[in-house]
Amino acid sequence: MSVTVEHIQKKFGGRTVLGDVSFDVEDGEFTVLLGPSGCGKSTLMRVIAGLETPDSGVVKIAGREVTNLESRDRDVAMVFQSYALYPHMTAAANIGYPLKVRKMAADDARRRVAEVAERLGLTQLLASYPRQLSGGERQRVALARAMVRRPKLFLMDEPLSNLDAQLRANMRGELKHLQHELKTSTIYVTHDQAEAMTLAHRIAVMSSGKILQYGTPSDIYNRPANRFVASFVGSPPMNILEQADGTALAIRPEHVEVATGASDGWQPARVWVSEQLGNETIVQLKTGSSLISARVKPDFELSFDQAVWYRFRQDRLLTLPRERGETPETHLSK
């Protein structure tokens, strides 16, 4: 099911939370709203869900305007950060609650709950209460509850943020495969760039109530539209070198080459810090008053203050514009 958001504006008091936001989600697409805390992404999600009314603008779901419809009339299902499970109900009762509200026949409801529980590996846990479940199990129950009534649109607001790192990574994989199987349009809110890059077909990078760039993970990573996107997406973030004319040269750490010997065209630097991560090493190089991050092979051993040389891969060097929203140009000078 497609979703279209057109020129949405929202203020709380005198503060603009969403300023002229527009984007679209194609049928079956997984779209991520990515940005720091307070950027407006959760408010935008609530506007799409019908939990907030915009001051102006239009929301369309499957081509039908729903801007002023109640949430229950939009055929969407939400999964929240807090899971929002009823503590006095078993997992089965929690999952089946949306069907009970809709007065589905008991036998049909039990069959539907059993089907979704099997798909999410919850069959053996249906008689358990939320307090008896792990964080990952509670999250799967919340997902099952959203899935059970087969909505046209899933809305997920930081659903994995309460999980530890390993479980969060596992759940990312489960979510991605599940969405691939169901082919249900999904809008997902997160401040975690790893979630955005691994889950999304397209990412909307937000800051201060605006979408600064909307594109595929590859576009966002390799062709950032401005300095905010370049610095927010990527770990370590893109190296950004300010120029006298107000533009910035930008390059990813993996495109900075480092050597222990001098060669023509290489620049001198000293090792500020070296972080060995097992599968790779991240090196920060001190050159003048600047620090430059480089991603090198894991067996490349360097010590504090060691003299090294570096160069940029010229074919991966970008020129970022002065103004927001302009498209970067590849810097082609050799």
Side-chain angles (χ1 to χ4, degrees):
M1 180 173 63
S2 64
V3 179
T4 301
V5 173
E6 297 177 345
H7 305 296
I8 291 294
Q9 298 193 52
K10 180 68 177 177
K11 290 185 178 181
F12 290 126
R15 184 170 66 95
T16 298
V17 179
L18 295 173
D20 197 23
V21 174
S22 299
F23 74 104
D24 62 274
V25 179
E26 295 179 4
D27 187 27
E29 191 172 45
F30 199 126
T31 294
V32 173
L33 307 180
L34 173 67
S37 297
C39 71
K41 56 188 185 296
S42 290
T43 301
L44 179 56
M45 170 79 81
R46 291 174 63 83
V47 167
I48 296 168
L51 301 176
E52 296 282 357
T53 302
D55 298 327
S56 61
V58 172
V59 177
K60 296 178 182 177
I61 296 178
R64 179 176 69 124
E65 183 174 348
V66 298
T67 314
N68 296 311
L69 287 184
E70 296 290 333
S71 182
R72 63 176 177 270
D73 297 322
R74 299 190 183 201
D75 198 12
V76 302
M78 286 199 72
V79 181
F80 297 94
Q81 176 181 352
S82 62
Y83 315 142
L85 301 179
Y86 295 107
H88 63 285
M89 291 184 182
T90 63
N94 267 286
I95 295 169
Y97 185 73
L99 306 181
K100 181 179 179 180
V101 169
R102 287 162 179 79
K103 301 186 181 340
M104 179 179 281
D107 287 345
D108 291 338
R110 279 193 293 270
R111 190 179 309 112
R112 187 83 68 84
V113 168
E115 288 173 359
V116 73
E118 183 177 6
R119 169 165 269 174
L120 288 176
L122 293 169
T123 302
Q124 304 303 315
L125 300 173
L126 288 177
S128 301
Y129 289 88
R131 66 180 179 275
Q132 298 170 310
L133 302 175
S134 69
E137 290 165 346
R138 289 196 296 271
Q139 183 60 74
R140 278 186 283 156
V141 171
L143 284 171
R145 184 179 57 189
M147 289 171 52
V148 74
R149 65 182 182 84
R150 299 172 184 169
K152 292 181 180 178
L153 176 66
F154 286 129
L155 302 176
M156 301 186 181
D157 192 356
E158 306 216 42
L160 307 184
S161 60
N162 288 337
L163 306 180
D164 62 51
Q166 183 61 53
L167 188 53
R168 194 160 61 243
N170 292 342
M171 285 298 298
R172 281 204 307 263
E174 288 190 28
L175 266 179
K176 185 166 187 174
H177 189 78
L178 184 64
Q179 198 272 340
H180 168 73
E181 283 187 339
L182 297 175
K183 294 180 171 54
T184 303
S185 302
T186 302
I187 301 176
Y188 186 104
V189 164
T190 186
H191 64 273
D192 186 326
Q193 57 173 292
E195 285 184 13
M197 294 294 290
T198 56
L199 289 172
H201 293 118
R202 286 194 289 174
I203 300 171
V205 182
M206 296 186 65
S207 177
S208 301
K210 296 181 180 295
I211 293 178
L212 301 188
Q213 187 171 358
Y214 188 40
T216 65
S218 178
D219 287 338
I220 298 294
Y221 189 82
N222 293 308
R223 292 173 289 279
N226 50 61
R227 277 170 271 193
F228 178 86
V229 177
S231 61
F232 189 76
V233 177
S235 181
M238 226 172 186
N239 296 293
I240 298 177
L241 306 175
E242 299 288 346
Q243 304 299 292
D245 63 358
T247 60
L249 296 183
I251 192 163
R252 292 285 175 197
E254 57 266 33
H255 300 137
V256 179
E257 298 174 316
V258 181
T260 55
S263 298
D264 289 343
W266 292 63
Q267 302 299 316
R270 290 195 172 273
V271 175
W272 180 254
V273 69
S274 177
E275 301 173 290
Q276 292 181 317
L277 303 178
N279 63 327
E280 64 182 4
T281 296
I282 304 298
V283 184
Q284 284 194 315
L285 306 176
K286 183 78 169 178
T287 172
S289 60
S290 300
L291 286 175
I292 297 173
S293 296
R295 179 176 275 116
V296 299
K297 294 181 179 179
D299 57 354
F300 192 39
E301 296 184 2
L302 297 167
S303 56
F304 285 107
D305 293 323
Q306 180 177 344
V308 293
W309 283 260
Y310 73 95
R311 69 177 180 183
F312 298 149
R313 280 187 51 184
Q314 296 294 309
D315 61 327
R316 303 309 297 262
L317 195 60
L318 301 178
T319 301
L320 298 182
R322 182 196 304 252
E323 299 295 330
R324 279 183 180 175
E326 295 182 23
T327 303
E329 300 172 350
T330 303
H331 188 77
L332 298 176
S333 63
K334 301 296 182 183

